[in-house]
Amino acid sequence: MGRKGLDYEDLNENVKKVQYAVRGELYLRASELQKEGKRIIFTNVGNPHALGQKPLTFPRQVVALCQAPFLLDDPNVGLIFPADAIARAKHYLAMAPGGLGAYSDSRGIPGVRKEVAEFIQRRDGYPSDPELIYLTDGASKGVMQMLNAIIRNDRDGILVPVPQYPLYSAAISLFGGSLVPYYLDEEANWGLDLVNTRQSVAAARSNGITVRAMVIINPGNPTGQCLSEANLREILNFCYQENLVLLADEVYQQNVYQDERPFISARKVLFDMGGPISREVQLISFHTVSKGYWGECGQRGGYFEMTNIPPKTVDEIYKVASIALSPNVPGQIFMGLMMNPPKPGDISYLKFATESKSILDSLRRRAQIMTDGFNSCRNVVCNFTEGAMYSFPQIRLPQRAMDTARSAGKEPDVFYCLKLLEATGISTVPGSGFGQKEGVFHLRTTILPAEEDMPAIMSSFKKFNDSFMEQYQDYSKL
Amino acid sequence: MASTVAVENLNPKVLKCEYAVRGEIVIHAQRLQQQLQTQPGSLPFDEILYCNIGNPQSLGQQPVTFFREVLALCDHPYLLQRDEIKSLFSADSISRAKQILALIPGKATGAYSHSQGIKGLRDTIAAGITSRDGFPANADDIFLTDGASPGVHLMMQLLIRNEKDGILVPIPQYPLYSASIALHGGALVPYYLNESTGWGLEISDVKKQLEDARSKGIDVRALVVINPGNPTGQVLAEENQYDIVKFCKNEGLVLLADEVYQENIYVDNKKFHSFKKIVRSLGYGEEDLPLVSYQSVSKGYYGECGKRGGYMEITGFSAPVREQIYKIASVNLCSNISGQILASLIMNPPKAGDESYASYKAEKDGIIASLTRRAKVRRSLEDAFNKLDGITCNEAEGAMYLFPQLSLPQKAIEAAKVANKAPDAFYALCLLESTGIVVVPGSGFGQVPGTWHFRCTILPQEEKIPAIISRFKVFHEAFMVEYHE
């Protein structure tokens, strides 16, 4: 006689271990408050369109035409769609026999993968093979597939930056692997500290962990730092010496807000280095339509590119991809369009370039506004957001605040963020969701609220923060 | 330097899993297709005929216009501000798009939604389920996913703790189940459908398999049912469904009901009854039986495989378990929005009285008539198979496939062994190389040991069927002569 139903106790332990704070406690509380009628500003996830950023016009025109090809037969279609959007829709429909409604090749439409390869070649100056580019339903699915292929058991370790985007920690938990942290240096603008990284690897190995791969997020999430070319060389040398696969999350490559360190891909640096290292270091590079200035999160369009991966391994990765049959075709077309956007001379170019520039310039301004705003607050120190979409200020909580939090059964930064939410409606993610040094607290917010709303948001934050600090300041120490 | 990701260092569960639908035979077919392009005339056929995968729109089936109108307007909402669209789009597709956009915060179709999918769309789907079954459905029980498959993986992840956790799976089965169980490190506990009774299910057989597994120390957690069946096409009799539900309740199993072919039924004497309806008809409530029901936009008469739209409806799970399901769904943030919208459209299509109803109904009827003709195609393929010596073929009551049985002579089986292939894979490869027809060997789906089958879709265009039949006949008869005892 079997048990009744399915109990929590009977679930896969790895599932129970998974945490994903981006849509965890704070978000759920914010959603509750929203249902009760409170105005909430959701800054918990990098979701530009949810905060008013408009989609770029050209891709939406093209995909709408692909969605409803009967429009192309209508003599009036030219009244509301520009000729180049019409031509481009025909271009994608020709690549996709059966249109948007058929499963494509499990790796994605070959013609789109060719556009991705051509983009990579233009960006880096090195040829790229479409056969080694796999389109996925968002970059996250690709990350999960790769980590699942690598992790055999709990003695397989993956080097992950701290702080990190918690997809990595969640996936490692889910697949039963070991997270080997390497701490970014907050005092050095969240810079890479290879000494610390080497120590982490050594410590892991002495505990019987086989370190298999290293994750870099460049530009960083939540930290925003952009790796220099020297950094990337260091990392690639390190991976070569230590026999690690490099997983390069480059989804924010279009989001760079300073000029000292423009984006350089890990692949470009690898090939620049030449010699045996360029042929032997194994690299997986990830990209998406969700970020940049496109912000098309809801389309779930992404890809990964494999470099120096053995052919039999590629076959196994293909096999796993084939079980899912194919990534969604509209998302693939968005990727093709992002890789092969309107060019100067195209009818839609001016509008496309204007829309894109406007978004990027505004993001750059907002990165500054937010950094400055946080730095003007009591007990808050904030590194500049060099890239990506987030601000990750350090909140120096007084001891009394930490004690109050803990007696309420909460981590101090969770406590702070809940109070912030209740007072201001600003929904952030506590730093503990990303990892941080013991006893050092942060929160992650996005730089995505509309520019005109920023001053009010920052002043609302400052008002809450400064009065919180006043409330919990331990005056007996003064 | 030894490669850290050389195949010998990969996760053994990845190495173990298999998925024949796009496996070796298909990869070989793609190579041959390229050869036809670069060296025309170099093979004994002019074209590759893909009969391996249920992908209707790749073989000429047209999408439903109303659905595509709504989706296009949601893709580019700016269109709704232009008067010109009145001459391009039906009036109710315009109003439906407006209604859907109003359900989406900020009308932003490019934003990540709630991790279960947009609430208003889940309300629509719940209403559609209620209307279909006559029992209420709840939006909070619905998780929209990128196709139905991710929902299957999610439940396997949840249920399988180690290699001693077993999942009861029909044999033959759609190999997502075997692949998913292998990937998550569990044990597949087979229950054999009975080919001699039209792929019928005997609950006593299932019980025997369950007890056998338990005696070997396997903790059997769930039962998978595919209804209508894939690859077998049978539609379960209602009594069977009651038996299955009671069995799961008595044995404490989670019931995983794959119902993606619910709108593909070709016989008048069978109807689709959802397992949710069956469970509720028995008077079982939330406390009684955990059930996951899967539906997809890929099949039916809509056939929108490339959109990756689908959902699972979860009922009978405790709050802590539901939280875990939500948590895992949230790591991926959400499924694609366009697919979510489409899932809501198929569960709430135009109704009598709506402006688009007449044209929608004409299209739907046309597609169903085409599928029914393909069902006759199925019939003519079925008849053709049954007429050949050494092949028998059950009727496919539903879904999109035929699954004939091959009686392979011993010599063929030996030749297969020499070629290091399963006998039906060997047969399928020979078929491909002689005729260009791509089928999937039965060993990819599971079968009673010592029996051989292949799966062939009923989707090729009607005008190609006579050629397929005649080429197949020539091949098969030659094969049987060559390997004659």
Side-chain angles (χ1 to χ4, degrees):
Chain A
M1 170 63 191
R3 80 187 78 72
K4 181 179 146 88
L6 178 70
D7 288 332
Y8 175 82
E9 287 66 50
D10 302 327
L11 298 181
N12 179 359
E13 286 302 319
N14 289 343
V15 163
K16 293 185 217 171
K17 283 187 196 142
V18 167
Q19 289 179 309
Y20 187 69
V22 172
R23 282 222 162 147
E25 184 183 354
L26 254 299
Y27 169 72
L28 292 169
R29 179 74 185 124
S31 305
E32 265 169 43
L33 290 170
Q34 187 181 47
K35 277 199 202 123
E36 289 166 20
K38 191 174 172 71
R39 182 175 167 251
I40 304 293
I41 303 154
F42 285 99
T43 70
N44 59 306
V45 65
N47 199 8
H49 295 198
L51 289 154
Q53 180 175 311
K54 297 272 166 276
L56 300 169
T57 306
F58 185 75
R60 293 304 189 97
Q61 291 170 326
V62 174
V63 175
L65 286 167
C66 292
Q67 192 78 260
F70 62 80
L71 292 170
L72 294 167
D73 298 329
D74 194 300
N76 290 328
V77 67
L79 292 176
I80 52 174
F81 290 94
D84 55 353
I86 292 169
R88 192 71 85 91
K90 292 179 177 167
H91 159 86
Y92 288 114
L93 287 171
M95 281 183 193
L100 267 52
Y103 295 125
S104 72
D105 184 307
S106 295
R107 295 161 291 191
I109 295 166
V112 173
R113 284 152 52 218
K114 184 157 172 287
E115 288 179 317
V116 175
E118 286 165 358
F119 161 82
I120 292 169
Q121 172 144 6
R122 283 193 308 273
R123 181 193 67 190
D124 295 346
Y126 294 103
S128 169
D129 182 358
E131 295 299 289
L132 296 173
I133 293 167
Y134 284 28
L135 305 181
T136 51
D137 285 313
S140 299
K141 292 244 166 96
V143 168
M144 294 214 130
Q145 276 177 37
M146 296 315 306
L147 286 172
N148 190 39
I150 292 169
I151 296 171
R152 295 165 296 190
N153 52 51
D154 60 4
R155 287 176 311 289
D156 275 341
I158 311 288
L159 264 168
V160 173
V162 179
Q164 48 101 42
Y165 173 53
L167 165 66
Y168 295 96
S169 47
I172 292 166
S173 290
L174 199 54
F175 302 132
S178 248
L179 191 151
V180 181
Y182 68 93
Y183 286 83
L184 302 175
D185 187 353
E186 188 164 11
E187 317 297 306
N189 224 35
W190 297 115
L192 179 72
D193 176 357
L194 220 49
V195 170
N196 173 273
T197 310
R198 284 185 202 283
Q199 284 168 346
S200 273
V201 171
R205 284 177 178 156
S206 70
N207 282 333
I209 303 289
T210 307
V211 186
R212 307 286 306 283
M214 179 175 188
V215 173
I216 57 170
I217 309 173
N218 180 40
N221 177 5
T223 47
Q225 86 288 6
C226 297
L227 292 169
S228 67
E229 188 177 343
N231 280 160
L232 286 163
R233 281 177 179 254
E234 274 185 294
I235 288 164
L236 287 159
N237 270 318
F238 180 70
C239 288
Y240 181 63
Q241 286 150 15
E242 305 294 339
N243 198 12
L244 306 173
V245 182
L246 182 59
L247 303 176
D249 178 339
E250 297 175 331
V251 302
Y252 294 101
Q253 58 187 269
Q254 289 172 345
N255 301 103
V256 176
Y257 311 126
Q258 39 71 37
D259 303 316
E260 292 75 36
R261 274 174 304 287
F263 173 75
I264 311 173
S265 78
R267 192 169 188 270
K268 176 183 196 312
V269 176
L270 180 63
F271 288 149
D272 284 346
M273 289 166 88
I277 189 176
S278 70
R279 290 185 295 275
E280 292 180 34
V281 168
Q282 284 147 2
L283 168 65
I284 320 276
S285 312
F286 299 93
H287 199 10
T288 181
V289 304
S290 299
K291 309 301 177 191
Y293 49 89
W294 283 58
E296 291 279 12
C297 301
Q299 310 301 343
R300 315 316 272 124
Y303 77 73
F304 62 87
E305 182 193 20
M306 296 178 276
T307 302
N308 296 333
I309 303 294
K312 285 207 183 116
T313 301
V314 174
D315 290 343
E316 292 297 324
I317 292 166
Y318 173 78
K319 181 180 72 177
V320 174
S322 77
I323 299 170
L325 284 160
S326 102
N328 87 79
V329 177
Q332 296 187 44
I333 295 174
F334 271 96
M335 180 57 80
L337 287 162
M338 189 172 89
M339 298 286 98
N340 184 15
K343 296 176 191 34
D346 291 352
I347 296 165
S348 296
Y349 175 72
L350 198 58
K351 182 167 193 170
F352 180 85
T354 309
E355 286 174 346
S356 308
K357 184 172 191 304
S358 160
I359 291 167
L360 274 176
D361 288 349
S362 174
L363 282 167
R364 191 179 265 239
R365 289 191 299 270
R366 283 179 277 171
Q368 196 66 63
I369 294 170
M370 218 167 208
T371 307
D372 293 346
F374 282 128
N375 279 318
S376 78
C377 295
R378 194 161 146 191
N379 291 347
V380 179
V381 171
C382 190
N383 281 336
F384 175 62
T385 296
E386 296 184 350
M389 285 178 176
Y390 310 98
S391 193
F392 197 64
Q394 186 186 139
I395 316 287
R396 294 178 173 164
L397 294 167
Q399 189 60 47
R400 272 186 54 220
M402 294 196 267
D403 295 339
T404 312
R406 292 202 169 105
S407 49
K410 299 245 174 269
E411 279 301 294
D413 50 5
V414 175
F415 177 77
Y416 177 93
C417 290
L418 282 167
K419 290 271 177 243
L420 169 67
L421 170 64
E422 280 156 16
T424 66
I426 300 171
S427 172
T428 58
V429 188
S432 47
F434 304 87
Q436 51 204 353
K437 284 209 172 99
E438 186 75 38
V440 183
F441 302 106
H442 305 80
L443 59 80
R444 188 187 83 165
T445 178
T446 68
I447 61 168
L448 301 173
E451 210 171 329
E452 58 266 23
D453 295 338
M454 276 283 183
I457 290 173
M458 295 318 291
S459 89
S460 172
F461 177 87
K462 184 172 166 64
K463 184 160 168 246
F464 160 79
N465 176 77
D466 292 0
S467 85
F468 179 97
M469 295 303 171
E470 179 66 38
Q471 183 186 353
Y472 288 100
Q473 190 64 50
D474 189 354
Y475 284 106
S476 71
K477 291 230 171 88
L478 294 178
Chain B
M1 179 176 94
S3 161
T4 195
V5 286
V7 97
E8 49 276 13
N9 297 328
L10 294 182
N11 179 357
K13 294 179 244 180
V14 165
L15 299 176
K16 185 175 168 209
C17 79
E18 288 177 320
Y19 186 71
V21 175
R22 276 198 165 166
E24 192 192 329
I25 299 272
V26 180
I27 293 170
H28 188 57
Q30 285 163 338
R31 265 184 244 127
L32 293 178
Q33 188 169 36
Q34 280 204 306
Q35 185 179 333
L36 281 175
Q37 279 169 351
T38 54
Q39 303 160 50
S42 61
L43 293 166
F45 48 83
D46 297 324
E47 62 174 330
I48 299 288
L49 288 158
Y50 287 101
C51 300
N52 60 305
I53 181 173
N55 196 11
Q57 291 190 30
S58 76
L59 292 162
Q61 182 173 308
Q62 292 301 302
V64 173
T65 303
F66 180 78
F67 297 158
R68 293 300 190 92
E69 286 179 297
V70 174
L71 289 171
L73 290 167
C74 292
D75 276 336
H76 190 36
Y78 162 78
L79 290 171
L80 293 166
Q81 298 167 33
R82 300 287 299 260
D83 277 336
E84 293 95 326
I85 60 166
K86 293 195 184 107
S87 68
L88 291 163
F89 293 86
S90 63
D92 55 348
S93 70
I94 293 170
S95 58
R96 183 73 80 98
K98 286 181 179 165
Q99 185 231 334
I100 287 171
L101 287 167
L103 297 171
I104 301 176
K107 304 192 180 174
T109 52
Y112 294 126
S113 71
H114 185 288
S115 293
Q116 285 177 242
I118 293 157
K119 172 69 167 49
L121 297 178
R122 288 184 278 127
D123 287 332
T124 304
I125 292 170
I129 294 170
T130 304
S131 155
R132 180 194 68 194
D133 294 345
F135 290 97
N138 196 322
D140 292 338
D141 294 342
I142 293 168
F143 285 72
L144 284 154
T145 50
D146 289 305
S149 301
V152 171
H153 284 295
L154 193 154
M155 289 311 298
M156 295 304 177
Q157 227 154 37
L158 202 77
L159 289 168
I160 297 172
R161 296 161 296 188
N162 54 53
E163 69 278 5
K164 292 233 168 315
D165 278 336
I167 311 286
L168 274 160
V169 173
I171 299 296
Q173 45 100 45
Y174 173 52
L176 166 67
Y177 295 97
S178 46
S180 188
I181 292 165
L183 267 175
H184 296 108
L188 189 153
V189 179
Y191 67 91
Y192 292 87
L193 302 176
N194 189 341
E195 189 160 11
S196 63
T197 61
W199 298 113
L201 186 155
E202 283 303 314
I203 209 72
S204 54
D205 286 344
V206 185
K207 191 166 163 69
K208 222 179 289 171
Q209 292 296 107
L210 170 68
E211 284 165 354
D212 181 62
R214 282 181 176 157
S215 72
K216 296 190 175 112
I218 302 287
D219 187 350
V220 183
R221 314 291 311 277
L223 174 78
V224 172
V225 175
I226 310 172
N227 185 41
N230 177 5
T232 46
Q234 87 289 8
V235 178
L236 289 169
E238 222 175 330
E239 306 82 65
N240 251 183
Q241 291 184 277
Y242 286 122
D243 290 340
I244 290 165
V245 168
K246 287 180 197 158
F247 176 75
C248 289
K249 176 156 164 42
N250 291 338
E251 300 293 345
L253 303 174
V254 177
L255 178 54
L256 303 173
D258 176 340
E259 299 180 325
V260 303
Y261 293 100
Q262 58 187 264
E263 300 214 59
N264 299 103
I265 296 185
Y266 311 121
V267 294
D268 296 325
N269 64 330
K270 288 281 179 71
K271 285 176 85 73
F272 173 72
H273 302 287
S274 78
F275 270 97
K276 169 92 176 308
K277 181 171 88 170
I278 300 290
V279 167
R280 292 287 180 266
S281 309
L282 280 168
Y284 295 155
E286 277 296 312
E287 301 295 305
D288 293 306
L289 177 68
L291 166 66
V292 181
S293 310
Y294 297 98
Q295 165 60 319
S296 168
V297 307
S298 300
K299 312 299 176 190
Y301 61 90
Y302 15 91
E304 295 273 23
C305 301
K307 297 301 181 60
R308 315 320 271 121
Y311 68 79
M312 58 182 194
E313 182 191 12
I314 65 168
T315 55
F317 293 91
S318 64
V321 174
R322 291 169 64 102
E323 271 165 33
Q324 296 300 309
I325 295 173
Y326 171 83
K327 182 179 72 176
I328 298 300
S330 79
V331 177
N332 193 52
L333 283 156
C334 73
S335 65
N336 84 81
I337 307 300
S338 184
Q340 292 188 30
I341 294 171
L342 184 54
S344 79
L345 289 169
I346 67 162
M347 297 305 287
N348 183 24
K351 300 196 178 18
D354 293 352
E355 192 178 307
S356 281
Y357 180 69
S359 55
Y360 157 81
K361 180 102 179 29
E363 276 183 358
K364 176 180 174 181
D365 289 348
I367 291 165
I368 290 188
S370 168
L371 281 168
T372 310
R373 283 196 301 275
R374 291 173 214 247
K376 290 205 179 89
V377 151
R378 156 186 68 100
R379 262 271 134 79
S380 52
L381 270 172
E382 245 175 66
D383 287 344
F385 288 142
N386 277 315
K387 285 199 178 88
L388 292 166
D389 271 339
I391 303 191
T392 54
C393 189
N394 277 342
E395 180 179 26
E397 297 178 327
M400 290 178 176
Y401 315 98
L402 288 171
F403 198 63
Q405 182 178 158
L406 296 162
S407 292
L408 293 173
Q410 191 55 36
K411 269 181 73 182
I413 295 175
E414 276 152 26
K417 203 180 284 184
V418 165
N420 197 24
K421 296 214 177 308
D424 47 17
F426 178 72
Y427 178 93
L429 186 61
C430 295
L431 171 67
L432 169 61
E433 288 180 339
S434 314
T435 66
I437 298 170
V438 190
V439 299
V440 188
S443 44
F445 302 87
Q447 52 208 342
V448 168
T451 67
W452 313 109
H453 301 78
F454 64 87
R455 187 188 79 168
C456 177
T457 69
I458 60 164
L459 300 173
Q461 284 151 334
E462 286 177 72
E463 52 276 16
K464 295 213 188 292
I465 297 304
I468 292 179
I469 291 176
S470 71
R471 267 197 261 168
F472 188 93
K473 182 165 152 46
V474 166
F475 160 77
H476 179 80
E477 287 174 345
F479 183 94
M480 294 309 239
V481 163
E482 184 179 347
Y483 293 102
H484 166 72
E485 312 287 354

